[in-house]
Structures are given as C-alpha cells and as structure tokens.
Amino acid sequence: MSSRLPSSEKLRLIFRVKSGEPIARLCREVGISRTIFYRWLKTYQSTGPRGKKLALISKNPKGKLHWRALSGRVEWNLLNIVSKNPGFTCKQYAEVLSKRFKKPVSAHGIWNILRSHDLTIPRERTNWVEERSGRAFLELSSKSRNDFIKAVVEQGRPVTVVCREFGISRPTFYKWYSLYKSGNESLATRRPQGDGHWRFVPGVSDLVLSLVKNHPEYSASKIAYEVAHMQSGKLSLGTHGVYNILKKHNLSKFQERLAFATPKKSLTPIQVFTDLLNRIKSIWETFTPSVAPAPPPTFKQLVKPFFTSFVTSGLFSLGLISWFGIILSAGSLSSSLGLIFATFALILGTFFLLYSFKYYITLAIVLSFSQQTTDDKQQTTRGNILSWLLGSFDKSGFGPKKVNPVGLTPDLTHIRLDRYPFISVHIPFYNEKKVVERSIQAAVNFQYEGEYEVILCDDSTDETTEIIRDYLNKSVTSVKSIIQTKGEGYTLTTAEVRPGVVVKHLHRTSRSGFKGGALELARKLSDPATEFVSIFDADFVPYPDTLTLFLKYFKASTGNNSVNQSFSNSVKESNIAAVQGYQWHVLNKSENWITRGVRSEYSGSYVIERSGTELYGGLKQISGSVYLIRKDVLDKVGWGTSITEDFELTLKLYALGYKVVYTPYIQAPSECVSTIKRLVRQRMRWSEGHSFNIRRMFLPLLRSKNLTTPEKLEFLYLSPYYLQAFFFLIGTVSWFISETLFPARLPFWTSLWGWSLVLTNMLSLPLMNSVGMFLEESEHKDYQGILS
C-alpha cells in the first residue's frame, strides 16, 4: 500500500503530523504501518531544503522504466495479434510472442500491456477490434479525410484531440494537411487496388473459380500451387491473392466452396414438404367456410381415450398375459431370470430412449436454426414447419403459429432504451466468505444509466457478515441501520455506495424458508419504485451491461419499439414474466475432472437443450440465478419455501399463464462444483425439490388451459427428469446380465437391437455437450470434460 502513495500524499501526511494529529490514527486511515511512516519522516528530515520534495519519490522502477518491462515493439506486435485473435488468453499471447521473438515473454507482462489499453476482458478486446476495423475504413475514405482536415482548419479544434478521436497519428495528419494546402482537395488513397494493382494477374480469377468448382476441398495454398503449374512460364499469384479472389466471391470457407461446386439438384423431401404446406395455407386463405371451424382438440381430449378405452385396457392385459407365458415357458430358472432382466432392460432402456430422441431432435433443431439465413421469408417458413410438427396452431385454427425465438437473437444493438426503470438486485449469501467481496463489487459496478439497489440477503453464520459490514463502512461515510425484531428477526443496513446505487445488507437471525425465505423478505423490503427484480447467486460475476441487456430482451419480447412511459404498460399487458440468462460455469473449469464435467454439462444444457426449448416453445425453467423478473408478477406469486424455489416459481408462473424467455447471450461467469461430496449434495437437493414440486403441481398443470401443447409435453418430459440415470444404468446392467450371466432373449429381440439401444442412449448426452461447446467456441481443453 505504501508504494502506491505518491510523494505529494506522503508530504501531506508529514505536515499533518507536524500540525499535531496523532500518528496512529493517520496510519490507520491510510492503511500503512507506523514503521513505514517513521522511515518517510527520517528520509524527509535528513534531506536538504532543496530536495525535500523529491526525497519521498518511490525508488522502485515502474512501467517502462522497470528492467523487465516489455519493449514497444512487443506491445505493437501484441496489439496486432489481439486485432486478429481477441479471444486468446494472456498465456496464448505470450506463447505466440515468445515464438516470434525467440525469447520468453511472460503472461503477466502481456496482462500489464492489455490493462494499460483497457483490454483485459475478451469482450473489451472484441469491441476494440470492431471499433478499430470501422475506424480503419474511415481512414481510407476520401470524405472522412476531408472532414478530418476541416475539423482542424475551419472549426479550430486542437490537432491532438482530433487525431485521438479519429485514431490518426499527427505525422499522418500533417501529410494530409500539406496535400490539402497544395490544392489537392481529393485525399483519396493513391495506393493501387483491384485490377490496377501491379501484381494483378489477368484472367486468373476464372481459373481459380474453375478449380474450386472441380475441387472444393482445395485450400488457398493448394489452389495457388495448381494455378502455378497450369500457368507455367506466365505471371502467377500467391496464396494471399487466391484468398482475395475467394473472399471476393464469398468462397473463403469450405462450406461455401462446397455449395458453389455442388450442382443444382431436385427438391429435397423437406423442400417438397415446405411447398406442400405453403399450398395448403394458400387454399385455406382463399376458402371461406360456411360454418365456423371446430377448435383444435385440447390435451385432455387427446389423452382421455387412452385411459378410458376398453381396447387399450384389453391390449395391455393381453400383452401382460403373453409376457407371463413367455417367462413360464422358459424351461429353467436361469432362462426365466434372463428373460426378466431382458424385460427390465427393454422397458427402462425405452424410457431413456425417449430422452435420447429428445436430445437428438433438439440438436437437429438448434443446428438447423444456427445455419438458417437472415432472409425473413425463409425464417418464417422454417418456423411454420416447426409449428406444424409440434402441433402448435394459430388461435384461428387455420395455420401454424410463427415461431419467434426472441431469446436467440444475438444482436440487440437496434434496441434503444429511452427509459431505465428502477431495478432491485437480490444476492443470497450463506457462508460465502471467499466470494462475497467479489460478488458485491460486480453488483455495484453495473453500467446501468438508471438507478438500482442491491439487497444482500445474508443468512451466514461465519465471517461473511463481518466482511459485508466492513465493506459498507469503507465504501460510505454515513450508514443508517434499521433493526426489526418482530416475527423473524433481521437487521437491515442501508448505504449509498455511489450516486444512484444503494446497497442494503439484510441479515436474518434464522434461516426460516432457506433461500426462498430470504428472497421473500428481500421482496417485501425492496424499494417501492422497483419495477424489475434480478437474482444472482453469490458465486456469479455478471458483466457490467447485464441489466441493460435484460431490459432489451424484455422490450424485444413485448414487441414494443422503445422503452418509454408506454413500455411499462406494454410489459404489464404482456404475458412475459421473466428473462433467463446463461449460467456460464467457467471460472474454475480446469480445476479438476469434476469441474471439467460440470462445465461441459452446462454447455450442452444451456446452449443446446434450453435453446431448443426456446425454439419450439416448450416450458422454459427459471434456473435460480442470472434472470430478471417483473416485480408486479413476483408480488402476485411470491416466493415459496421449497429447496428448489426457482422451479417452484416457474411452475407458479406457467400455471397463471405467464411465460419465460431464455437467451444464451446474457452470460454470467460462475464457479463449478469442485468435489464429489458437494456435487452429490447439490444434485440430491435438486432432485428432492424437483420431485416435491412435480408431485404437487402435476395434475393442475396438465389440466390448465394456460399451457400450450408443447409446454405440457415439456412438463411431462421434466417430470421424471432426475430418473434418467436410473433408467440408463439399471437398463444397461439388466441387458448385460441377460446377455452374459443368464443368457436369454425375448422372442423378437436380437443382439443388434440391444447394442443399438445401448449405443444410442450412451452417445446422446456426450454428443449434445460436445455440440454445445462447439457452438460456444470453447477451448480445446474443455472437451476433456466429455469424459467426465
């Protein structure tokens, strides 16, 4: 701490001591020891009158003066690498530079350079690259150069300020200025480009395209090699020239070259099906029925015959009798046991096969959506096909509803927020002393233009409470404490840490209701002006723009064009209750094999499974953290006391007709569970709370008219969700016993069917997690988590 104080601050402390202030109090205020202070005082007194101001300057070299500082050449090369690979880590930058300069470059030095340019976070580097690419385009345009000169000549603005604004060096400015004074008002670049370049090869473009058509698998270097052999003795071009030709014709990627080389074929089955649907739709639009059409059957009407039909009961009884006959006719106890195990394998394997099919179908839907074009007509067509396949019809009954996955829109820069409502951020804590300070820092540093409050729901029994109190005492000068002892006791401490940001420390004396009880009390103590509530767990570190992104997705989901006074009315009139983000478990992903497995599992679940649910309009869960919910809706349903309060809240919302929007583009980094004991306890808690809420809400939700057919099917899929491992393990073990220990097979069963069922079930989850990390563009080492 002492080395960070400037010499002027050290002199000010010495003068305050000379004026009579106690040394101990000053040292405690600044955070230094008295030994350090006496050392400064001794140095100050032993120096002559002319050198007293310079005597207390730190002798430790810093920045460019440090003997281990990286040179400007290294910094220039680093920025060039960052412009091409903004997603690299400091270690990767250091490895590239070490190979380039053939001497070791430390990752810490790289981090220092990135910090000096405010590029320590990958998102900052990405934004910097985008701004730099846009600025480079302005530098090459004649109009922008003229505007640049006129800003200095006509408006009288300082050269340094304008150069910094346009990203231009002063020598470049004076070179343009000399051309401007000489009467050459056209400052367009005189560098030859395209056909006028001195290395342009006439007629080679057609040759490259013909090679691509015949051999789309060739790379740019291979194409350059073939062109050189085909034009022996003539002027040829290199790999970079070939790449420029491919880029000009949108053929720089293998998929684009393959599509270019593939001849036009007849319509595929899906295209034929699409054309058929469009024709049926046009017939419905032109046909005017004489009577009102009958409404589509409800879910209850579809399911009821299967439970009440005499035929269904008869078939079930006949199948059961036939199975008993097969068991009794086995002839030996070993064969009978084998048939029993084979039956268990078939039944349980079939149950898990339903989950496997769901994973495979979701994979196909998400991959198809990720490759669809931005053409509105094509996107609507795919949405119609998806709706027809899922049986999701328009209210009029004449056609499918249009699928509009708002949450899967990656770019909302066109959304403008003209009003920023008051948001209450709730963070529950229970013995989180290792992450509490980091969590508070992230919560109070949101880049939100409106006002918001942070309520720390503290149920801790360790040092967490003292850490929060010390933070508030250091952050503000005046703290107002309110003590409430009626009912369940709690202490509420309110402090304004910066203008527009209020932190409330809510410490309960009991853990009544656990996390749900703490959040319910925080809801009651929220500011009356609160319009939205955002929940983050203690181990999450949200990005500064998270609250703003939440509001943009809320606005996009309501269909309103601007967030103004009418936005509040449009939100209240809509059925969108919450927006759920991506719980990005990556902070300690490489700690051990458990964290690697958890990281890959969340990638498959949040990138593939939940995105697919957003596409086909299924029931979307609130996941306990990283979401924004309307305060009026939360006041209506309230928090439950279940150990899975998030799932209970989800079922309550859907029972009342509200919907949830999921988006993977609002991410909050978090830590993974790192030990087997914690992982088992976490999943046991989830399964217990999940089963409790399913048992309590199963029939009311299936009978509810507020849920669509895809939402009810998704709810049925979620009901035995935590029995998947039971289905898979017991089914596989039973099949193994029936194949080895008690060799016996059902009459219609073969070894091929058994292996196919096992492999189909076994590959579903690893495939989904792998594709999730692929779409997420994860690091190569993250794929090791698939084995976990």
Side-chain angles (χ1 to χ4, degrees), residues 329-349:
S329 62
S332 64
L333 179 62
S334 175
S335 300
S336 299
L337 290 176
L339 290 175
I340 292 174
F341 279 110
T343 304
F344 271 105
L346 177 61
I347 295 174
L348 298 180

Side-chain angles (χ1 to χ4, degrees), residues 419-479:
R419 191 179 71 85
Y420 292 83
F422 191 94
I423 298 178
S424 184
V425 180
H426 298 174
I427 307 177
F429 292 95
Y430 178 66
N431 297 344
E432 307 283 356
K433 61 182 180 180
K434 295 183 179 180
V435 298
V436 56
E437 196 164 0
R438 180 187 69 184
S439 178
I440 300 174
Q441 287 287 354
V444 301
N445 288 323
F446 282 124
Q447 295 177 357
Y448 184 65
E449 298 184 15
E451 296 182 354
Y452 70 95
E453 67 176 6
V454 179
I455 301 182
L456 310 177
C457 311
D458 181 21
D459 287 351
S460 303
T461 57
D462 62 349
E463 299 88 349
T464 303
T465 303
E466 293 300 325
I467 294 175
I468 296 176
R469 290 173 180 171
D470 293 341
Y471 175 85
L472 294 181
N473 290 328
K474 292 179 181 179
S475 300
V476 294
T477 56
S478 61
V479 178

Side-chain angles (χ1 to χ4, degrees), residues 736-753:
F736 181 79
I737 293 175
S738 68
E739 288 285 330
T740 56
L741 298 182
F742 305 107
R745 294 174 184 167
L746 295 172
F748 54 87
W749 201 249
T750 63
S751 179
L752 177 62
W753 281 104

Side-chain angles (χ1 to χ4, degrees), residues 569-623:
N569 298 329
S570 63
V571 167
K572 292 181 180 179
E573 294 172 359
S574 70
N575 62 346
I576 303 299
V579 176
Q580 173 68 53
Y582 180 8
Q583 297 183 6
W584 199 26
H585 288 66
V586 293
L587 294 182
N588 63 334
K589 61 181 181 179
S590 301
E591 183 177 343
N592 52 44
W593 65 274
I594 301 174
T595 58
R596 294 189 184 99
V598 173
R599 186 267 182 277
S600 64
E601 176 195 18
Y602 272 87
S603 180
S605 175
Y606 278 81
V607 177
I608 300 298
E609 190 173 11
R610 292 176 183 264
S611 298
T613 309
E614 179 71 16
L615 277 171
Y616 58 71
L619 187 145
K620 286 155 281 187
Q621 299 183 69
I622 291 177
S623 302

Side-chain angles (χ1 to χ4, degrees), residues 414-421 449 551-552 555 560-567:
H414 62 283
I415 302 294
R416 301 299 177 186
L417 300 179
D418 299 329
R419 191 179 71 85
Y420 292 83
E449 298 184 15
L551 285 180
K552 287 188 175 183
K555 173 212 148 292
N560 196 15
N561 294 326
S562 63
V563 179
N564 46 32
Q565 188 62 32
S566 62
F567 175 65

Side-chain angles (χ1 to χ4, degrees), residues 274-287 380-381 384 388 394 398-402:
T274 303
D275 184 65
L276 178 61
L277 289 179
N278 291 331
R279 293 184 181 182
I280 295 175
K281 184 177 179 181
S282 61
I283 293 174
W284 271 110
E285 291 175 350
T286 56
F287 173 70
T380 304
T381 302
N384 289 341
W388 273 96
D394 195 355
F398 290 109
K401 291 189 300 187
K402 294 181 179 179

